[in-house]
Amino acid sequence: MDSIESTCRWFNYCSSCCNKYATKLNFPSNMSRCVVSRFCFRQIVFCCFLCVVSLLLFLNQPGNLNNYVSAVLADPPRTELMEIQQLERLNLLQEKCRNTTAANHQPNKRKMAAIPVRFKIEDRHRVMYCDVPKVASTNLKGLMLILSGQVETDDLSSIPRLTIHEQNPMRILNANNLNDTMKNGLGDFTKFIFVRHPFERLVSAYRDKLAGNDAFYKKAVGREIIRKYRQNPNQLSLETGHDVTFPEFVRFIVDEWRNGRKPLDVHWRPVVDLCRPCDMKFHFIGKFETLNQDVNFLLDKLNETDLSRLFAGQPTKPKTTSSLWKDLMKQISQQQLRELNQMFADDFRLFGYPQYTAEK
């Protein structure tokens, strides 16, 4: 490809020489064209010949023709690709929402009133974010703080977790429906959400809250799981809840979901219940699987491209990988897998994730 470019640069050089020559001679227009054509003809023909030969030699090499055509025809501007991707995600959501009802999502939904959607409001850029735990929510809430001007830093990881979570100073709206956003003067705000494969998110929550170092969740949830589902537990497990297995955890959350008398914990609550995407008409859907490019595109739409460096500096490899969550899924029964697929059916459908069947 370099040889083609260098040859074509010679062609441009020849053309520029002809123009300069014609100007310098200052001939009358008709005579100028005649003299220039005689002076430049051989040089231009020679340059064209070199350019064509170089192109043929390049394309004759194995694989170069396909690569060249692909590069020319299949590489539209990145912004255009992202626009198309967003349009596809939003159209899919709209289409699937028409076929999604509360009745086919949660068996005992009527026992519990709908939970308000909790939005974080950023007034400077007129955006509102529905926080989905285990989908880079810590970094996204930190980014919202920076956008709002309430925090100044070049390092997202330097923001104290207390500031991001428990003591976050950002304005909150608990919206029961779309009208609530309009009544609070937020009707024209951009609503965005980030989602993740439901089972990867679920396994991430289990590893973080019950298989990790979270003493609060082990005591508050782990001990309850062991008391209810483990036969002959030892005293240490009953006191600390430190060794909950993944099948025990799945049994617990499925029973809680089927019971329907209280909201599921936000870390494993389906997105359809957490953010009610069919009611709230989101304008932007990001995905954990394409996190950096989606954040960059969102910042571009907000005219804050300089902040892209904040996410670029974050670890790109998630703690819970695809192979890891699939390994854990093999520990549960086929019945439990069917129940999880039913529990997260709307999340799979609304956001274009295929339901998973473990290979035993």
Side-chain angles (χ1 to χ4, degrees):
M1 200 67 183
D2 292 339
S3 61
I4 298 174
E5 291 176 355
S6 61
T7 305
C8 290
R9 279 197 295 271
W10 269 105
F11 180 82
N12 291 334
Y13 173 74
C14 292
S15 299
S16 63
C17 283
C18 293
N19 291 333
K20 291 178 181 177
Y21 181 73
T23 303
K24 190 171 182 179
L25 289 178
N26 199 24
F27 285 124
S29 58
N30 291 338
M31 187 180 298
S32 174
R33 283 195 294 271
C34 180
V35 174
V36 170
S37 63
R38 291 173 181 175
F39 180 80
C40 298
F41 181 74
R42 291 184 180 179
Q43 293 186 41
I44 292 176
V45 169
F46 180 69
C47 289
C48 287
F49 174 76
L50 283 181
C51 192
V52 171
V53 169
S54 299
L55 180 61
L56 289 175
L57 288 174
F58 171 77
L59 295 180
N60 195 45
Q61 296 176 19
N64 277 351
L65 178 58
N66 289 335
N67 293 339
Y68 180 75
V69 173
S70 298
V72 171
L73 300 181
D75 190 23
R78 188 167 187 79
T79 300
E80 182 180 330
L81 286 175
M82 297 300 293
E83 291 282 5
I84 293 171
Q85 185 182 69
Q86 277 301 309
L87 188 61
E88 289 175 346
R89 290 175 182 176
L90 293 170
N91 284 343
L92 176 67
L93 176 63
Q94 186 177 17
E95 175 191 343
K96 298 301 181 182
C97 280
R98 296 192 194 104
N99 305 319
T100 299
T101 63
N104 66 22
H105 174 62
Q106 186 161 315
N108 299 315
K109 191 87 171 182
R110 293 179 183 175
K111 294 182 181 179
M112 183 181 66
I115 308 162
V117 178
R118 187 178 176 86
F119 284 106
K120 284 191 164 45
I121 313 300
E122 199 279 284
D123 292 288
R124 288 175 62 186
H125 299 83
R126 304 181 73 78
V127 293
M128 45 201 299
Y129 163 53
C130 182
D131 165 23
V132 180
K134 310 313 301 175
V135 189
S137 60
T138 297
N139 283 338
L140 287 168
K141 284 188 283 189
L143 183 62
M144 288 281 282
L145 285 169
I146 294 171
L147 284 170
S148 70
Q150 299 189 64
V151 170
E152 293 185 10
T153 181
D154 287 330
D155 182 7
L156 280 173
S157 62
S158 69
I159 306 175
R161 292 184 66 85
L162 202 63
T163 302
I164 291 176
H165 297 292
E166 290 84 357
Q167 296 179 5
N168 193 309
M170 298 196 68
R171 187 156 65 100
I172 299 293
L173 173 69
N174 293 312
N176 289 298
N177 49 53
L178 195 59
N179 286 337
D180 284 350
T181 67
M182 297 178 181
K183 287 188 290 188
N184 284 273
L186 305 171
D188 62 343
F189 275 44
T190 298
K191 294 185 288 293
F192 74 91
I193 183 176
F194 275 75
V195 298
R196 186 178 189 178
H197 188 289
F199 288 174
E200 186 172 304
R201 177 175 168 244
L202 180 68
V203 169
S204 178
Y206 164 73
R207 295 185 69 230
D208 182 30
K209 300 302 177 186
L210 293 167
N213 299 318
D214 196 315
F216 173 81
Y217 268 83
K218 287 179 180 179
K219 288 185 177 180
V221 180
R223 291 191 301 179
E224 180 182 356
I225 292 175
I226 289 171
R227 282 197 303 267
K228 289 178 70 173
Y229 300 108
R230 185 174 299 180
Q231 294 182 352
N232 303 317
N234 60 46
Q235 194 60 32
L236 181 62
S237 297
L238 287 170
E239 290 177 358
T240 64
H242 72 290
D243 59 350
V244 173
T245 66
F246 187 64
E248 290 172 337
F249 169 68
V250 169
R251 193 174 172 188
F252 168 74
I253 64 169
V254 168
D255 284 351
E256 290 275 296
W257 171 70
R258 288 197 174 280
N259 180 280
R261 289 190 172 87
K262 63 179 182 178
L264 292 175
D265 185 281
V266 294
H267 293 88
W268 45 83
R269 188 185 305 169
V271 176
V272 73
D273 292 330
L274 197 63
C275 295
R276 291 164 58 186
C278 291
D279 298 329
M280 292 301 169
K281 297 190 182 301
F282 285 90
H283 304 99
F284 186 95
I285 300 171
K287 289 193 172 184
F288 187 83
E289 294 79 6
T290 52
L291 179 64
N292 282 357
Q293 70 182 46
D294 288 346
V295 170
N296 289 346
F297 185 52
L298 178 62
L299 290 171
D300 182 55
K301 293 175 80 70
L302 299 177
N303 295 317
E304 290 287 0
T305 52
D306 287 347
L307 294 181
S308 297
R309 68 186 186 281
L310 296 177
F311 258 77
Q314 299 303 303
T316 55
K317 187 176 181 181
K319 295 178 182 178
T320 301
T321 62
S322 175
S323 59
L324 193 151
W325 70 256
K326 287 178 181 178
D327 285 342
L328 277 180
M329 284 293 165
K330 293 176 183 177
Q331 297 180 12
I332 64 177
S333 68
Q334 287 293 326
Q335 176 61 27
Q336 285 182 308
L337 181 59
R338 284 192 293 271
E339 290 169 333
L340 284 180
N341 272 318
Q342 184 183 0
M343 176 178 170
F344 290 101
D346 286 346
D347 283 7
F348 282 112
R349 185 165 54 248
L350 297 181
F351 302 111
Y353 291 106
Q355 290 197 340
Y356 177 71
T357 302
E359 298 178 2
K360 293 289 185 180

